[in-house]
């Protein structure tokens, strides 16, 4: 019997190579350091899930029935309450919120679920999370990058991604900038989705949501915000996120997602509701990240790096004014793994993204190596 030769499907052939695979050789180099690797690349949370959230998950473990796509009443109450309390949004009803199975799933499949395809355009920042492009390519739409979205040709533009605070740069869009962009998008009938997953992690700026009445004018027409519990509550492993905003858009997504069976597991829904109702654990986690950020920033700058933007999020956008892969290789020799800036677009080809999500012990190890490297 002859072997069947593997080949990429027509759908996967639309997609770029998975960027993180390219980092494997440098991960091997960093792992060979006598004191072990300090992995500051992916930015995955490492601190414990808060006890009250774990307890809620366990208490809901006896969940033999199917969960609903729209989520429990308790979860919708928690989301709408948090959106009002934390984002300053007004008049948020259950129709204005929808839980999703992690924000990456939402980003990747949103254009498909909106019915976009050939002839449509999806726009996102020139330096951006790679999944915005992936989502456009999965449905056959045209991905378009921007520096200022209001300078885009609105013809055929169906979906505009905003990302503030930015991944990877940590840049925050000012309130007046958001207001101007939302007004432009509404004028041209362009749907705005704002990825605000790092909003609770502002350091040198106070991030503002598109749902704030000063930005959206008290109406959610044409605007939706995306939020995640992964970073603020250490719940990346739970896949708990949600969207909030335009009820007509979320109602359509709810119908599509019901057919697709895109349900957040019931125990995770229970845990997310508790997480959104508690601000104390968020403040504690912020304090941990603030200390790690300060230590790494000081060490990198003393070592000759320049930090740009980085006023929010979980990353430092750093450069030695050389090709990013040279910097990746240099730091790997010190046992420190970082993400090359060109993962996020060619405009980042002389930067690296340094996450400060490692443990205190590993951050201290990186600081020591930078001081003596």
């Amino acid at each position: 019997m002859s072997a069947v030769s593997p080949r990429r499907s027509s759908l996967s052939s639309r997609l770029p190579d998975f960027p993180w695979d390219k980092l494997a050789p440098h991960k091997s180099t960093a792992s060979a350091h006598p004191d072990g690797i300090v992995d500051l690349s992916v930015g995955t949370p490492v601190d414990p899930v808060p006890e009250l959230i774990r307890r809620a998950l366990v208490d809901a473990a006896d969940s033999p029935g199917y969960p609903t796509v729209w989520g429990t009443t308790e979860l919708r109450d928690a989301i709408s309450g948090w959106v009002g309390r934390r984002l300053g949004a007004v008049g948020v009803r259950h129709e204005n919120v929808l839980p999703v199975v992690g924000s990456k799933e939402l980003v990747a499949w949103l254009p498909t679920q909106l019915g976009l395809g050939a002839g449509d355009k999806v726009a996102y920042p020139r330096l951006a999370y790679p999944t915005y492009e992936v989502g456009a390519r999965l449905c056959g739409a045209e991905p378009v990058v921007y520096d200022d979205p209001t300078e885009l040709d609105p013809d055929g533009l169906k979906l505009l991604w905003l990302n503030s605070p930015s991944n990877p740069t940590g840049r925050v869009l000012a309130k007046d900038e958001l207001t101007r962009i939302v007004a432009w998008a509404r004028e041209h009938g362009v749907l705005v989705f704002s990825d605000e997953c790092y909003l609770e992690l502002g350091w040198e700026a106070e991030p503002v949501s598109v749902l704030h009445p000063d930005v959206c004018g008290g109406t959610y027409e044409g605007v939706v915000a995306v939020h995640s519990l992964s970073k603020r509550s250490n719940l990346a492993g739970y896949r708990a996120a949600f969207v909030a905003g335009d009820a007509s858009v979320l109602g359509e997504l709810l119908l599509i997602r019901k057919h697709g069976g895109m349900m957040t597991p019931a125990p995770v829904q229970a845990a997310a509701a508790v997480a959104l109702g508690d601000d104390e654990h968020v403040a504690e986690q912020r304090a941990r990240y603030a200390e790690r950020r300060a230590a790494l920033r000081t060490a990198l700058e003393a070592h000759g790096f320049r930090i740009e933007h980085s006023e929010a999020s979980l990353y430092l956008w750093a450069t030695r004014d050389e090709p990013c892969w040279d910097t990746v290789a240099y730091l790997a020799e010190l046992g420190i793994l970082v993400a090359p800036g060109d993962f996020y677009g060619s405009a980042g080809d002389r930067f690296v993204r340094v996450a400060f999500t490692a443990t205190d012990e590993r951050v201290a190890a990186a600081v020591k190596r930078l001081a003596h490297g």
Side-chain angles (χ1 to χ4, degrees):
M1 181 183 297
S2 61
V4 178
S5 60
R7 51 179 279 192
R8 298 180 76 184
S9 72
S10 58
L11 181 58
S12 67
S13 67
R14 297 178 187 173
L15 305 180
D17 292 334
F18 189 62
W20 295 99
D21 291 343
K22 302 177 187 176
L23 204 55
H26 299 285
K27 185 173 185 178
S28 296
T29 299
S31 298
H33 190 278
D35 187 37
I37 187 173
V38 178
D39 193 341
L40 308 178
S41 61
V42 176
T44 188
V46 297
D47 298 302
V49 173
E51 175 61 29
L52 82 165
I53 300 174
R54 283 186 278 167
R55 189 163 57 246
L57 184 81
V58 171
D59 288 348
D62 186 15
S63 297
Y66 291 111
T68 63
V69 174
W70 200 16
T72 62
T73 300
E74 291 77 13
L75 178 56
R76 282 179 268 137
D77 280 343
I79 295 173
S80 56
W82 182 87
V83 167
R85 184 177 78 252
R86 185 63 184 83
L87 306 184
V90 294
V92 177
R93 307 184 310 275
H94 282 198
E95 291 76 12
N96 298 111
V97 302
L98 178 66
V100 297
V101 192
S103 57
K104 183 171 185 176
E105 168 262 302
L106 185 278
V107 173
W109 293 107
L110 177 66
T112 298
Q113 291 172 15
L114 291 174
L116 305 190
D120 297 324
K121 298 175 184 175
V122 175
Y124 50 88
R126 187 173 302 280
L127 276 168
Y129 183 48
T131 312
Y132 303 134
E133 177 187 357
V134 167
R137 294 191 181 281
L138 280 171
C139 73
E142 178 186 352
V144 178
V145 299
Y146 65 79
D147 295 307
D148 178 347
T150 65
E151 296 177 356
L152 291 168
D153 179 357
D155 186 36
L157 180 58
K158 299 297 177 63
L159 174 62
L160 171 62
W161 278 108
L162 302 181
N163 180 209
S164 175
S166 162
N167 175 14
T169 69
R171 182 188 171 207
V172 172
L173 295 176
K175 184 187 291 185
D176 59 352
E177 203 170 352
L178 286 170
T179 304
R180 177 177 63 85
I181 293 168
V182 168
W184 177 87
R186 284 174 168 166
E187 178 186 351
H188 296 286
V190 178
L191 177 62
V192 173
F193 264 69
S194 180
D195 180 348
E196 302 173 353
C197 289
Y198 297 94
L199 184 136
E200 293 195 283
L201 295 163
W203 310 110
E204 295 156 6
E206 187 60 44
V208 179
S209 172
V210 291
L211 303 186
H212 192 285
D214 290 352
V215 174
C216 67
T219 171
Y220 303 126
E221 179 186 356
V223 294
V224 177
V226 181
H227 285 271
S228 167
L229 280 71
S230 294
K231 306 300 195 290
R232 49 96 70 191
S233 298
N234 298 332
L235 296 186
Y238 283 46
R239 311 313 303 134
F242 62 89
V243 289
D246 191 322
S248 63
V249 173
L250 300 194
E252 176 68 11
L253 288 178
L254 176 58
L255 290 174
I256 298 299
R257 295 172 70 84
K258 282 181 178 179
H259 283 289
M262 304 180 102
M263 303 172 283
T264 304
V268 173
Q269 291 191 30
V274 168
L276 287 168
D278 179 74
D279 295 329
E280 184 177 344
H281 77 275
V282 180
E284 291 174 358
Q285 189 59 44
R286 269 185 57 91
R288 294 187 190 105
Y289 284 142
E291 290 185 4
R292 294 166 186 166
R293 176 182 185 270
L296 282 170
R297 179 166 195 153
T298 299
L300 287 165
E301 290 178 334
H303 198 79
F305 282 84
R306 187 175 75 254
I307 309 297
E308 292 194 0
H309 299 301
S310 308
E311 58 262 32
S313 83
L314 287 177
Y315 313 108
L316 295 169
W317 189 237
T319 182
R320 296 206 311 167
D321 294 309
E322 66 183 4
C324 61
W325 284 99
D326 290 354
T327 307
V328 169
Y330 170 77
L331 288 173
E333 292 292 339
L334 297 179
I336 301 170
L337 188 67
V338 298
D342 66 3
F343 275 11
Y344 309 94
S346 59
D349 63 0
R350 296 180 76 81
F351 285 81
V352 293
R353 193 195 73 172
V354 184
F356 41 89
T357 53
T359 63
D360 292 344
E361 184 275 332
R362 288 289 84 189
V363 168
V367 169
K368 182 178 180 180
R369 294 174 197 182
L370 288 165
H372 299 99

